[in-house]
Amino acid sequence: MSNNVHSVVRRSVPCYFCNEFLEEKYLTEHITHCAAVLEECPNKCGVYIPRRNLEIHEKMCNKRTSLKVSQIKDIQDSVWKEKVFSILTLLRLAIDQGEKERIRLQDDLSRNLSLLHSQQESLATLRLNIEEIVGESRNNHAALCRRLNSLEMITDDMQHCTTLNLRQISEQLKLLEGELSDDQSKNVCAPNDFFQELKVLKTFVAKESIRASDVWQEHSQHVNDLKLELEMRCKDTNELIFKHDTLAEKINSLTGEIQSCADSAAKRKSEIKGLKFQMKENLKYLEELITESCRPEPSLSSCSCENMEIASTNGRIIWRIDRYKEKMNEAKESDSIFYSPIFYNKEYGYTLRMELFLNGKGQWKDRHVIGCLRVESGKWDPLLDWPCVLRAVVLLRDQDNPANDVRKIVKTIARDRDNSNPDKESGLYMFIPYTTLSRYPGYTKNNVMFLDIQVKDIKTSASTMSLAL
């Protein structure tokens, strides 16, 4: 901005005669044509007159040649007054412009001083930053030097360790070569031992093949029973279809009633479950009280009550199930479970009981009779080995042909010493298909069924967590 003002002041100059501002290059041409320029009278009367008034002066000068010297002086004074006035106006303008230029220059100087001060502060901060960076770089350089020295020392140590390790490895290899030579000398006698082990293995494989054949025969018999059951069910399909149609009509009529009774049935079911649990607990408590208070004496050995029978202590019991058909109907209606009398695998041994699901259980419902042998809480449990490992064989006795007994192997329930729940599920049960019972009527003759249960001990192991078959 200051440069532009200087250029304007330098290039624009006023005319000393008419006070008009013009560019400097046009000033001489303007003066040659300016009407305010003073010129001497051509009549040599001694008067200087502006160009614009020259013609008027000539007329006056021609008519009045005899003007007085006093008038001429007055005219000259007026002309000089005009010149002085024009010069003063020019000086005033120049002073005003100079004052403005001085103020502008003073403002520019203050701005420049503030910029200079800010630049000096930024230079000082830059110097401080540079000094800090240089110090950090020096510190980093020193740290790098220290690390390089430590790395050189570590590499020297590693080289020393590797040389020592290589020496140790070479010595170990020499020792291994000696051991290998000794092993080769010992292995010369090893084939005889291997032949003996192979003979033992062959005998073991032969025994296992015999066992596998027995299991295969049992499975084939089971498959045949399933085939017979399927044939019987296929015969009854037509009757079932007719019954299904009639039942569908009845079911459609009863759906509304069932929906209204569903909520009340659910509530009653929950209450019944609680009552069943309480009844089971009460029955167990009553059985324990009966067994403790009514110990079998020699005079009472002929008692015929099922729960008052003398407990067997040789691991065998023949369970007589009277009223088989009535109990089967009861099981189909209410899923009731029947329990055998308590017996022991030996004197002062484990307390055992057989439970029977006449109507089956789970996916085997309405198809099989399922039985399971369970270990109950007994008086001599603290003196016995836990967990117990027993092998139980259950025979379904044929009253017409004893050679036709159905042989089933049952797994007992494992229970730890600290486990207070003796009814822990084992997942393995005894299965008797309905087809077998219907094929041989001797199993349920006179509405009675006989189950022969035989329990044998097996060697126990501390790491055994379940019972073997």
Side-chain angles (χ1 to χ4, degrees), residues 42-61:
N43 295 324
K44 304 294 182 178
C45 63
V47 178
Y48 290 89
I49 301 167
R51 288 178 181 175
R52 67 172 69 91
N53 298 324
L54 188 60
E55 293 179 357
I56 297 169
H57 177 74
E58 286 178 354
K59 290 177 180 180
M60 291 174 68
C61 186

Side-chain angles (χ1 to χ4, degrees), residues 331-342:
K332 288 181 179 180
E333 290 176 0
S334 60
D335 292 333
S336 58
I337 304 170
F338 300 95
Y339 298 90
S340 70
I342 292 174

Side-chain angles (χ1 to χ4, degrees), residues 95-302:
I95 289 166
D96 293 336
Q97 290 178 357
E99 186 67 19
K100 291 178 180 179
E101 185 71 16
R102 185 185 65 78
I103 293 167
R104 186 185 62 77
L105 290 173
Q106 189 174 2
D107 294 336
D108 293 337
L109 181 62
S110 63
R111 290 195 204 95
N112 291 326
L113 287 172
S114 63
L115 289 172
L116 181 62
H117 183 68
S118 64
Q119 288 178 357
Q120 286 178 354
E121 290 179 352
S122 62
L123 285 172
T125 55
L126 284 172
R127 285 177 182 175
L128 292 173
N129 292 327
I130 290 167
E131 288 177 357
E132 290 178 356
I133 291 166
V134 169
E136 289 179 356
S137 62
R138 287 176 181 174
N139 294 326
N140 292 327
H141 181 69
L144 286 172
C145 292
R146 288 194 296 272
R147 288 181 181 177
L148 288 172
N149 293 326
S150 63
L151 286 172
E152 288 178 357
M153 294 173 68
I154 290 166
T155 51
D156 294 334
D157 295 334
M158 289 293 290
Q159 288 178 357
H160 183 66
C161 292
T162 49
T163 53
L164 291 175
N165 290 327
L166 288 172
R167 289 177 184 175
Q168 291 177 358
I169 289 166
S170 62
E171 291 176 358
Q172 290 178 0
L173 287 172
K174 290 178 181 179
L175 292 172
L176 287 172
E177 287 178 358
E179 290 178 357
L180 285 172
S181 62
D182 295 334
D183 290 335
Q184 288 177 357
S185 62
K186 289 178 181 179
N187 288 330
V188 174
C189 299
N192 295 325
D193 298 332
F194 287 136
F195 283 122
Q196 291 178 359
E197 291 178 359
L198 284 172
K199 288 179 181 179
V200 174
L201 184 62
K202 285 180 180 179
T203 55
F204 178 74
V205 170
K207 291 179 181 178
E208 290 295 328
S209 63
I210 293 167
R211 290 181 183 176
S213 64
D214 294 336
V215 173
W216 176 256
Q217 288 177 0
E218 289 181 1
H219 282 293
S220 62
Q221 184 66 32
H222 184 63
V223 170
N224 292 326
D225 295 338
L226 289 173
K227 286 181 179 178
L228 291 172
E229 185 181 356
L230 288 172
E231 290 176 358
M232 293 174 66
R233 287 183 180 273
C234 289
K235 290 178 182 179
D236 298 334
T237 51
N238 295 323
E239 296 179 359
L240 289 173
I241 290 168
F242 179 73
K243 290 180 181 179
H244 180 268
D245 295 333
T246 56
L247 287 172
E249 295 177 357
K250 292 181 181 179
I251 287 167
N252 291 326
S253 64
L254 292 172
T255 50
E257 295 178 1
I258 290 169
Q259 288 178 358
S260 62
C261 295
D263 297 332
S264 62
K267 292 179 181 178
R268 289 179 182 177
K269 189 175 181 180
S270 62
E271 292 175 357
I272 288 166
K273 284 182 179 179
L275 291 172
K276 280 184 178 180
F277 180 74
Q278 291 179 0
M279 288 296 292
K280 284 182 180 180
E281 295 294 329
N282 293 329
L283 285 172
K284 288 178 183 178
Y285 180 69
L286 288 172
E287 286 176 358
E288 290 178 359
L289 289 176
I290 289 167
T291 53
E292 289 178 359
S293 62
C294 298
R295 289 291 179 184
E297 297 178 357
S299 61
L300 299 175
S301 60
S302 62

